[in-house]
Amino acid sequence: MNTVIPTLKLHTNRRLFSFYIPLIILAIVALVSVVISLLFWRSGSQPGSPDWIMGSQSNPGLLYSYAGFFGALGVTTVSTTFPFALSLGATRRGFTGGTFIWQILISAYLTVMLGVLMLLEVATGHWFSNFYIFDITILGAGNLAQLIPNVFLGTLTILAISSFFGASWLRLGSRGPQLVALGFVLIVLVALIIFIPSASEIFKAFQLWWLGALSLATILLCSVGTWLFLRPVTVR
């Protein structure tokens, strides 16, 4: 029996975590950004000036807020939902496939939401007041073609990595996340040892699509790793 779609429905039934909390985070970050902008305005900065635009577009609040939330969401989605899904008849392969499609759905949802808000902000002259909330560097600085891969692949990468951590916990207990984290650190250190002598040449030749390729490779490896971890897991 194909249990991919039932697993997807199971995940999307958690509407609070899947759809509502990202909106709440967005509203809080926007409110805090407006308050900070007002603070700088009252201290003498001029909305629309080059310094104002540069400072506003460097705001990393959205990155920090969403990275922490989606990291926790990916872990809990696998670690808490997997036993329940199996008790309802889901297969391990079906659960992994349904979870991956859910990750794509959430990434697309966030991409559309932020893309619409960014376009609306640009069209209204930054809310008629030169306040930069969504026209920021990490979202592509007003470039929709850059925002789409940044948000979609960034969100999907975080969900894939955190699901991998959640699956390792189900398979190996508390040692699982520790071993996975150690593996990530070793991979980064080995990569640095190999490539650091050529660091200057690499930075000169750097292309943005390299990050996209690295993100896709990470998503693929973590998704396969999640399935491999879940294959022998017994429901407790």
Side-chain angles (χ1 to χ4, degrees):
M1 178 180 176
N2 188 345
T3 56
V4 171
I5 299 304
T7 300
L8 173 62
K9 291 180 179 178
L10 180 63
H11 288 319
T12 53
N13 276 334
R14 303 171 73 205
R15 294 185 180 86
L16 175 64
F17 294 99
S18 297
F19 303 111
Y20 299 151
I21 289 183
L23 285 175
I24 294 171
I25 291 174
L26 184 63
I28 293 173
V29 172
L31 178 62
V32 171
S33 297
V34 169
V35 171
I36 293 174
S37 296
L38 287 172
L39 180 65
F40 278 101
W41 176 48
R42 293 293 293 170
S43 65
S45 297
Q46 292 301 315
S49 66
D51 289 341
W52 174 277
I53 295 173
M54 184 179 68
S56 299
Q57 289 191 316
S58 301
N59 181 7
L62 272 176
L63 174 63
Y64 296 151
S65 302
Y66 277 127
F69 170 70
F70 286 117
L73 182 63
V75 171
T76 56
T77 295
V78 170
S79 60
T80 62
T81 310
F82 178 73
F84 182 59
L86 256 63
S87 68
L88 295 178
T91 64
R92 289 162 175 78
R93 183 177 297 179
F95 178 83
T96 305
T99 302
F100 182 65
I101 296 175
W102 171 80
Q103 293 170 351
I104 293 175
L105 176 67
I106 297 302
S107 302
Y109 169 69
L110 189 67
T111 302
V112 170
M113 188 171 63
L114 290 174
V116 169
L117 288 170
M118 187 275 288
L119 291 175
L120 184 61
E121 178 174 303
V122 172
T124 58
H126 302 89
W127 314 113
F128 310 103
S129 56
N130 279 316
F131 276 22
Y132 287 67
I133 310 299
F134 306 106
D135 179 7
I136 55 179
T137 303
I138 60 171
L139 296 182
N143 186 345
L144 187 62
Q146 194 172 334
L147 178 146
I148 292 173
N150 282 3
V151 177
F152 182 79
L153 291 179
T155 306
L156 190 55
T157 301
I158 293 172
L159 287 171
I161 292 174
S162 54
S163 295
F164 185 44
F165 272 88
S168 73
W169 181 82
L170 284 172
R171 178 68 180 90
L172 302 172
S174 59
R175 292 175 302 166
Q178 296 173 4
L179 292 174
V180 170
L182 179 61
F184 273 116
V185 171
L186 288 176
I187 289 172
V188 171
L189 289 177
V190 170
L192 288 175
I193 291 171
I194 294 173
F195 293 111
I196 205 166
S198 307
S200 59
E201 289 82 1
I202 292 174
F203 282 123
K204 288 178 182 177
F206 177 77
Q207 300 290 325
L208 199 58
W209 66 266
W210 292 6
L211 291 179
L214 178 63
S215 177
L216 289 173
T218 303
I219 292 166
L220 176 63
L221 291 174
C222 287
S223 298
V224 172
T226 298
W227 179 60
L228 292 175
F229 269 136
L230 292 180
R231 282 184 64 189
V233 170
T234 56
V235 178
R236 291 171 286 185

